[in-house]
Amino acid sequence: MSIAKIFHLVLLIIFGSLSFISFNYEYDKASKLADEALQQYLNSPIWKTTLPVDGKSLFTTLNSQYPFYFFQYTHGQDGTLNYTEGQLLPDNDDTIAALFTQGLGDTRSLAEGRLQVKIDDSKITSKAKQAFVSNITIIWLLYLVIATIFSLLMMRLKRSIVYASSYIDALSELKFEALAHSRFRGELKPIGVALDKARGILHDKFEEMRNHNLQLNKEVYQDPVTLFNTRPKFTQKLDSLAKAGKDNYGIMAMIKATELANINQSQGREAGDNYLAGIASCIRKSIANQQQAECFRISASDFAVFIPNLLIHDVHGLLNDLKHNFDAFQETIDIESVAYTGLVPYKQGNDALSLVYLGDAAVSIAQTMGPNTCHIQEKLNGDELIGDSHWKTAIEDIIRRQALKFHTQDIQPCRGADKVYRELFSRFYSREGKFLPTATVIGMAGRHGLNVELDKIIIQNTIKLLINNPSLTGSFGINVSTASMQQAQFSAWVKDLLARYRHIAARLVIEINESGIQSNINIAHQFVRDMHSVGARVSVEHFGLGFTSFKFFKEIRPDFVKLDGSYTEEIDTNDNNRFFVKMIVDVAQKQSIKVIATSVERQEEKFTLEHLLVDGLQGYYIAKPKPMTVTDEHSATS
């Protein structure tokens, strides 16, 4: 039951009680007056006088002093003297007055007969009625005033409560309109203060959550390095283009940052991030006039740019700007190329997957054309094999012409140890003499089953380099792909070749990737034994990333392990990395295996690694890769 109903019920009880009390008071008062009137009648001196013996005369005598509403005289002997006047129970249409009727009756015996009377109390009841009606009117008028005032107050309170309720509902819907304080006066003022305080707190919390969500959304959908949209946004873009609808058209540019892996490995991830940020800056400069262009970073080294309302024959100026910006950026960093671009037209309703395949094919073709070049693929025919075909042709041409040159990077020995070796990096070039992206060449060679032939020309050219240039002293490390190492025919070919040039084999260090060894330890063990049998040595690169790394010391027994660059990063402050490197060094020394730390980029890292007693250091802080020349007199003894 609501407070209003309870209050009205209490009011009714109170004022009903007051009415009952008023009735009792007036009734008692009337009873008292009636008793007094009855006593006056009973004690009247008239009863000491001689009264008439006939009823009518007696009535006249007594009624002159005491009015009756009922009179009955019964003579004891003569019935003709009997007399009756009025009714024993008088008619009374006045209900309220009837409530106060007292019934003042008296029955007595006289000398000649018997007398029964009812004294008329109408004056007494009328007076009592008037007083009671006056009181009851005042009481219930007061009730009406109080009830009306309370109802008005409750209506005002209800309006305030309804407003507060709707305001709370609005807050739940994250609406923060100003509070009407006029709705909360008096006792309701604390509610207004509380609501206003809640509004302020919720508004601040909502803004904090909204900003946090914006930040999360930014982190999810905006790449922190380039500030481009991320792959989920790119997927949404493709989905929107795949839907039939408006006749939208434009150009999609696929851009590949081919040197990212090399930079991350040789210079560190910070340098890799700077490289990507530089590419993003070049892209922004080139499309500065294309206000509706959208840029995406769709993978670690791949970008996509959508330029609407642009046709193929209108993009040559943009491509020239893009290549010019890439070339200018290349002059500021020590790399052979910055990025390659493939352009394809798009229109609304095209198959998104075919568009991506075609763009990737265009990039692959561009990579065969020289540093920072671009290829336009106009036909929307979904022929995703075009790029692969170009690469297969390009790699076959490299193998046929043995079109490679070497760069070299020194490895600095530590703690007075013997000199270790220098690493050779293969750089492949096209018929026009332009360098091609190394990682892509090797990757495409593996895709087309040409990795063995590519590794063979690397080994052959290394042997030729050392034979033809006797001034080059020391040992040199060359990389062999995992796919080649796992083929018994390749292992036999290398073994036979080096057996003919044992004096050269003793200066070679064959570098193989740890992940390739893990895939088949038995084959890797056989490959290492074959290399040892002809005097060559073996180094395991990217060591420490696998779960079975410690088996290598016992089962593979390489001559060197090159720690993955992730262990060098911040090793001066990273306790876990220091613990791991120290453990590897301790185990390796017991097996006479030398440990080389890679990706050394800071002096603090160099000092920490030397303190951990590694055998060699490699990285940009130690020495940068440089073209191999016949006048190079640096040595790395075997």
Side-chain angles (χ1 to χ4, degrees):
M1 184 179 292
S2 66
I3 294 177
K5 291 182 179 180
I6 293 174
F7 182 79
H8 282 292
L9 179 60
V10 171
L11 275 183
L12 287 171
I13 293 173
I14 291 174
F15 282 89
S17 299
L18 288 174
S19 299
F20 182 74
I21 292 170
S22 176
F23 169 77
N24 284 337
Y25 174 77
E26 296 300 332
Y27 187 86
D28 290 344
K29 187 177 178 180
S31 296
K32 186 176 181 181
L33 291 174
D35 288 342
E36 290 177 355
L38 182 60
Q39 290 301 319
Q40 288 179 2
Y41 169 78
L42 294 176
N43 298 323
S44 176
I46 198 171
W47 301 116
K48 297 179 179 180
T49 62
T50 301
L51 298 172
V53 295
D54 64 294
K56 186 173 182 179
S57 299
L58 181 61
F59 173 76
T60 302
T61 301
L62 294 176
N63 191 55
S64 62
Q65 297 184 33
Y66 304 101
F68 303 107
Y69 66 81
F70 178 74
F71 178 90
Q72 185 180 61
Y73 175 73
T74 304
H75 194 273
Q77 295 178 0
D78 187 358
T80 60
L81 298 178
N82 294 343
Y83 186 77
T84 300
E85 183 73 27
Q87 299 179 359
L88 183 62
L89 296 174
D91 293 331
N92 194 344
D93 296 332
D94 193 339
T95 305
I96 297 177
L99 295 174
F100 296 98
T101 300
Q102 300 297 314
L104 303 178
D106 178 60
T107 301
R108 64 175 60 208
S109 297
L110 299 178
E112 298 297 333
R114 180 175 175 275
L115 176 65
Q116 181 180 6
V117 298
K118 290 287 186 177
I119 299 173
D120 187 1
D121 59 354
S122 58
K123 291 183 179 180
I124 295 175
T125 57
S126 177
K127 185 178 180 181
K129 169 194 168 184
Q130 290 176 359
F132 175 69
V133 169
S134 177
N135 291 340
I136 207 75
T137 300
I138 294 172
I139 288 173
W140 288 102
L141 282 175
L142 181 61
Y143 166 79
L144 288 175
V145 171
I146 294 175
T148 301
I149 294 174
F150 177 77
S151 296
L152 293 174
L153 292 175
M154 287 303 297
M155 288 175 63
R156 177 179 174 273
L157 178 63
K158 185 176 181 180
R159 286 196 299 269
S160 298
I161 292 174
V162 170
Y163 175 75
S165 177
S166 62
Y167 193 81
I168 292 172
D169 288 340
L171 289 180
S172 67
E173 296 173 0
L174 303 178
K175 299 176 182 178
F176 302 103
E177 290 82 1
L179 184 73
H181 288 279
S182 60
R183 300 288 187 99
F184 303 97
R185 295 174 180 173
E187 291 78 5
L188 296 178
K189 187 175 181 179
I191 296 178
V193 173
L195 284 176
D196 206 29
K197 182 179 179 181
R199 178 181 70 89
I201 294 174
L202 287 174
H203 181 267
D204 293 342
K205 290 290 185 182
F206 173 71
E207 287 299 316
E208 181 181 348
M209 291 175 62
R210 189 168 69 88
N211 293 333
H212 182 64
N213 287 336
L214 287 175
Q215 182 63 32
L216 290 177
N217 186 71
K218 185 176 180 181
E219 291 177 2
V220 172
Y221 293 112
Q222 186 181 70
D223 176 56
V225 176
T226 63
L227 303 183
F228 286 171
N229 292 322
T230 53
R231 187 174 185 86
K233 285 287 186 180
F234 174 70
T235 303
Q236 293 177 11
K237 179 68 175 180
L238 290 177
D239 290 341
S240 66
L241 290 178
K243 296 177 181 178
K246 297 180 180 179
D247 190 21
N248 294 328
Y249 66 93
I251 297 296
M252 183 186 73
M254 300 286 286
I255 301 170
K256 181 177 288 291
T258 53
E259 297 301 311
L260 179 62
N262 291 333
I263 292 176
N264 283 340
Q265 181 179 353
S266 61
Q267 303 180 41
R269 294 194 176 276
E270 183 177 354
D273 289 344
N274 293 336
Y275 164 65
L276 292 174
I279 291 177
S281 178
C282 292
I283 295 173
R284 287 192 183 91
K285 290 178 183 179
S286 303
I287 62 172
N289 296 328
Q290 305 294 333
Q291 300 298 326
Q292 295 181 316
E294 297 179 81
C295 301
F296 305 86
R297 183 183 177 189
I298 58 178
S299 69
S301 58
D302 294 321
F303 301 87
V305 180
F306 288 90
I307 308 174
N309 306 321
L310 198 65
L311 299 175
I312 285 291
H313 58 75
D314 297 325
V315 301
H316 295 285
L318 184 148
L319 293 180
N320 291 335
D321 290 342
L322 187 61
K323 187 176 189 311
H324 172 76
N325 291 328
F326 282 162
D327 290 342
F329 179 47
Q330 183 177 344
E331 294 178 0
T332 65
I333 55 178
D334 188 18
I335 56 176
E336 296 173 355
S337 64
V338 171
Y340 297 86
T341 307
L343 260 73
V344 295
Y346 71 82
K347 60 183 178 181
Q348 192 74 35
N350 281 138
D351 178 63
L353 193 58
S354 296
L355 185 63
V356 173
Y357 280 158
L358 196 60
D360 187 54
V363 173
S364 297
I365 295 171
Q367 289 176 286
T368 66
M369 300 165 61
N372 307 326
T373 53
C374 172
H375 176 73
I376 300 174
Q377 188 68 36
E378 296 191 42
K379 294 182 179 180
L380 288 171
N381 53 16
D383 185 8
E384 65 274 10
L385 298 177
I386 293 177
D388 282 352
S389 299
H390 272 263
W391 269 115
K392 182 178 181 181
T393 302
I395 294 171
E396 288 174 344
D397 182 66
I398 290 172
I399 295 171
R400 184 170 54 255
R401 295 184 296 108
Q402 296 197 5
L404 64 87
K405 295 180 181 180
F406 289 113
H407 282 50
T408 181
Q409 185 179 30
D410 290 342
I411 300 176
Q412 176 183 306
C414 297
R415 56 187 178 87
D418 294 337
K419 291 184 178 181
V420 280
Y421 64 92
R422 282 179 288 173
E423 184 173 357
L424 290 178
F425 299 100
S426 302
R427 295 293 182 262
F428 308 97
Y429 56 90
S430 65
R431 285 186 173 275
E432 293 77 20
K434 297 178 179 180
F435 281 111
L436 302 176
T438 304
T440 306
V441 170
I442 294 174
M444 287 296 181
R447 179 183 296 186
H448 293 288
L450 298 173
N451 49 286
V452 170
E453 299 303 320
L454 197 64
D455 285 336
K456 285 182 178 181
I457 68 166
I458 292 173
I459 295 174
Q460 290 171 340
N461 278 270
T462 301
I463 294 174
K464 185 185 300 183
L465 173 71
L466 297 181
I467 292 175
N468 295 338
N469 299 280
S471 61
L472 295 176
T473 59
S475 298
F476 293 86
I478 53 176
N479 285 276
V480 170
S481 68
T482 298
S484 297
M485 181 268 295
Q486 292 178 345
Q487 294 190 29
Q489 292 181 347
F490 175 80
S491 179
W493 178 87
V494 176
K495 180 179 178 181
D496 290 342
L497 179 64
L498 295 183
R500 298 196 299 270
Y501 301 97
R502 286 185 177 270
H503 63 293
I504 299 297
R507 299 172 58 190
L508 293 183
V509 178
I510 309 298
E511 293 193 0
I512 53 179
N513 196 295
E514 181 200 44
S515 61
I517 294 177
Q518 289 185 53
S519 62
N520 196 320
I521 291 180
N522 292 331
I523 290 179
H525 188 193
Q526 182 61 48
F527 180 81
V528 172
R529 283 189 298 176
D530 288 344
M531 296 304 101
H532 284 170
S533 68
V534 292
R537 289 170 293 173
V538 177
S539 177
V540 178
E541 62 177 352
H542 295 296
F543 184 82
L545 294 181
F547 293 106
T548 59
S549 295
F550 291 105
K551 291 184 179 180
F552 300 159
F553 293 115
K554 182 178 180 181
E555 300 180 19
I556 305 301
R557 300 191 65 83
D559 301 279
F560 302 92
V561 292
K562 298 177 72 174
L563 298 173
D564 186 76
S566 60
Y567 292 104
T568 299
E569 186 176 2
E570 298 182 352
I571 193 171
D572 51 313
T573 58
N574 190 313
D575 293 337
N576 292 330
N577 282 359
R578 286 201 300 274
F579 175 79
F580 180 82
V581 172
K582 185 177 186 304
M583 180 173 56
I584 292 297
V585 170
D586 290 343
V587 175
Q589 286 180 350
K590 294 177 182 179
Q591 301 291 331
S592 299
I593 298 172
K594 294 182 178 181
V595 178
I596 298 172
T598 63
S599 300
V600 181
E601 309 300 332
R602 298 183 294 114
Q603 186 181 53
E604 293 82 2
E605 294 171 348
K606 176 179 181 293
F607 289 160
T608 302
L609 289 164
E610 288 176 334
H611 181 71
L612 293 172
L613 304 179
V614 299
D615 297 283
L617 300 171
Q618 183 179 13
Y620 261 50
Y621 184 78
I622 305 302
K624 295 181 179 181
K626 58 183 180 179
M628 188 72 182
T629 63
V630 296
T631 58
D632 191 342
E633 297 296 335
H634 290 288
S635 63
T637 60
S638 59

